Amino acid sequence: MIKANVRLERIEPPMTATKVTLKDVAARAGVSYQTVSKVLNGEMQVAPETMERIQAAVQELGYRPNRIARNMRAGRSFMIGYSWTQTEPGQVNHILDQFLSSMVREAGAVGYYVLPFPFREGNAQVETYRDLIKSGNVDGFVLSSVNYHDPRIQFLLKQQFPFVAFGRSNPEWDFAWVDIDGAAGTRQAVAYLIGRGHRRIAILAWPEDSRVGNDRLQGYLDAMQAAQLAPEPGYILRGEGTFEVGRAMTLHLLDLPADRRPTAIMALNDTMAIGAMAAARERGLTIGTDLAIIGFDDAPMAQYLFPPLSSVRQPIAEAGRKCVELLVALVEGREPEQRHVLLQPSLIIRASS
């Protein structure tokens, strides 16, 4: 008979997580569990050394609050609703990507989450906001892609439901907003071009119903007026902010007679500016020498173009942080320090201008 040497391994039962409670945290920190509860929910201030003990106990024990129970006690969802205009296939929107990332970080830091939901055009989009309010799934909204006569703003004002807009709308409407001073950005860029000796400066603008576009265009007009320069009517071209439109507009400008042809172009976004650069190359011009080009947004790829693109940089991360900060104050019934926050952009000079 052959005996096989068989080694029997003891099979350990699967580990189960022991739930850490508020009382466990309180015992470790040496305080009452009521104190721990109120401190973690932001309802009580304690001495710094007590706060340190509580935070240390939370970390050491791996305490995770029961969010459902917290929401029920507070009567809130701790969710921020957010929707944005969808990007066309094959294109990216670096600005709104940065904005969303910033909001998620700031919301998480103060115990909230961001709930994205599909964007719908026109008045139909209001239905989604109505459903989310009725369901109690969100405590407030952050709006982006804000325009004139925005139906979302009208609806939320009527409902008296907390929201903050990333962008301004009709001046007679009173609501909380965070915006970037687009006029200041183009004004700074055009003033720089004038300081470099340019007098024939064209601008690739957006359609007349674009609030953001009109704001940025005003900065161009202000800078030209300040320099006592009258822009030629044909130097203000309007169209969608795409590569193709930027290229077509610039080809049209470059086909003007030599004494009327612009020596510099300001575009209202980087995508149009890249189209302008392509048109300049088609006409055999040296960008930055024969034709100066400045964009707007300072998208990540701007610095890697040839030549690198000058652009107006927006403080997008700060805008996302401010929107959440302002909204949380409104949701929690606190008076915010500012209801209207206007952030300043900065001009980044590179070889294209």
Side-chain angles (χ1 to χ4, degrees):
M1 175 183 285
I2 300 174
K3 290 186 177 180
N5 293 324
V6 179
R7 184 181 178 186
L8 298 178
E9 297 283 352
R10 181 184 176 189
I11 300 176
E12 298 286 349
M15 295 181 64
T16 57
T18 302
K19 183 166 180 60
V20 179
T21 67
L22 280 176
K23 290 185 178 180
D24 297 325
V25 175
R28 177 68 66 91
V31 297
S32 69
Y33 78 88
Q34 294 94 335
T35 297
V36 173
S37 176
K38 290 180 179 180
V39 167
L40 294 182
N41 286 312
E43 299 170 1
M44 175 187 284
Q45 291 186 342
V46 294
E49 59 270 18
T50 304
M51 176 64 80
E52 288 178 10
R53 292 205 311 272
I54 292 174
Q55 291 176 339
V58 168
Q59 292 294 326
E60 291 166 7
L61 296 174
Y63 173 71
R64 294 292 182 271
N66 186 325
R67 191 164 295 278
I68 295 175
R70 182 189 72 156
N71 294 358
M72 291 178 65
R73 286 194 303 270
R76 301 206 305 269
S77 67
F78 294 89
M79 299 288 282
I80 295 171
Y82 176 66
S83 181
W84 64 96
T85 306
Q86 300 301 304
T87 304
E88 293 293 326
Q91 296 186 18
V92 293
N93 191 327
H94 298 289
I95 297 305
L96 287 181
D97 286 349
Q98 292 176 46
F99 181 70
L100 178 56
S101 297
S102 175
M103 279 205 306
V104 168
R105 287 194 300 270
E106 179 65 17
V110 293
Y112 284 74
Y113 291 90
V114 176
L115 175 66
F117 58 95
F119 184 88
R120 299 167 67 183
E121 295 290 345
N123 289 321
Q125 62 188 294
V126 169
E127 296 305 315
T128 306
Y129 287 80
R130 180 180 285 111
D131 291 343
L132 286 169
I133 293 172
K134 286 183 176 180
S135 68
N137 284 332
V138 297
D139 293 331
F141 295 99
V142 171
L143 311 183
S144 63
S145 306
V146 176
N147 213 335
Y148 302 120
H149 312 295
D150 197 302
R152 299 169 299 173
I153 295 177
Q154 290 178 297
F155 171 73
L156 293 171
L157 283 172
K158 186 176 180 180
Q159 296 294 316
Q160 297 184 332
F161 195 78
F163 75 95
V164 174
F166 178 33
R168 289 161 285 176
S169 185
N170 299 35
E172 66 272 17
W173 292 351
D174 182 23
F175 60 92
W177 53 258
V178 175
D179 204 0
I180 294 169
D181 194 342
T186 47
R187 187 162 54 244
Q188 187 178 357
V190 174
Y192 165 81
L193 292 171
I194 293 171
R196 297 279 294 177
H198 295 281
R199 295 297 179 267
R200 300 198 301 271
I201 304 170
I203 185 164
L204 311 184
W206 291 346
E208 292 182 355
D209 62 354
S210 169
R211 182 201 61 80
V212 174
N214 289 339
D215 184 41
R216 295 180 185 181
L217 175 60
Q218 188 59 51
Y220 164 84
L221 297 173
D222 291 345
M224 296 293 282
Q225 183 178 19
Q228 298 183 331
L229 297 174
E232 187 171 322
Y235 284 179
I236 301 174
L237 301 179
R238 291 182 180 269
E240 298 299 327
T242 65
F243 172 91
E244 292 78 12
V245 168
R247 173 181 170 275
M249 286 179 172
T250 303
L251 288 173
H252 169 77
L253 291 167
L254 297 180
D255 286 341
L256 293 172
D259 61 341
R260 291 181 52 213
R261 188 181 306 145
T263 62
I265 291 176
M266 175 76 212
L268 291 198
N269 66 12
D270 289 341
T271 304
M272 297 178 85
I274 294 171
M277 293 172 74
R281 289 194 189 91
E282 289 180 42
R283 292 293 185 263
L285 300 179
T286 300
I287 300 167
T289 303
D290 300 326
L291 180 68
I293 299 174
I294 298 180
F296 202 113
D297 289 338
D298 195 33
M301 76 285 195
Q303 60 186 312
Y304 302 116
L305 298 172
F306 183 77
L309 176 65
S310 296
S311 188
V312 176
R313 177 179 296 169
Q314 303 191 72
I316 294 299
E318 177 70 0
R321 189 182 71 78
K322 285 288 187 182
C323 280
V324 172
E325 179 184 293
L326 186 50
L327 180 60
V328 169
L330 294 174
V331 166
E332 297 182 351
R334 294 182 279 110
E335 184 63 30
E337 293 182 7
Q338 295 175 278
R339 284 176 54 83
H340 302 149
V341 179
L342 188 61
L343 302 173
Q344 296 302 307
S346 55
L347 178 62
I348 307 301
I349 299 299
R350 300 190 179 100
S352 71
S353 62

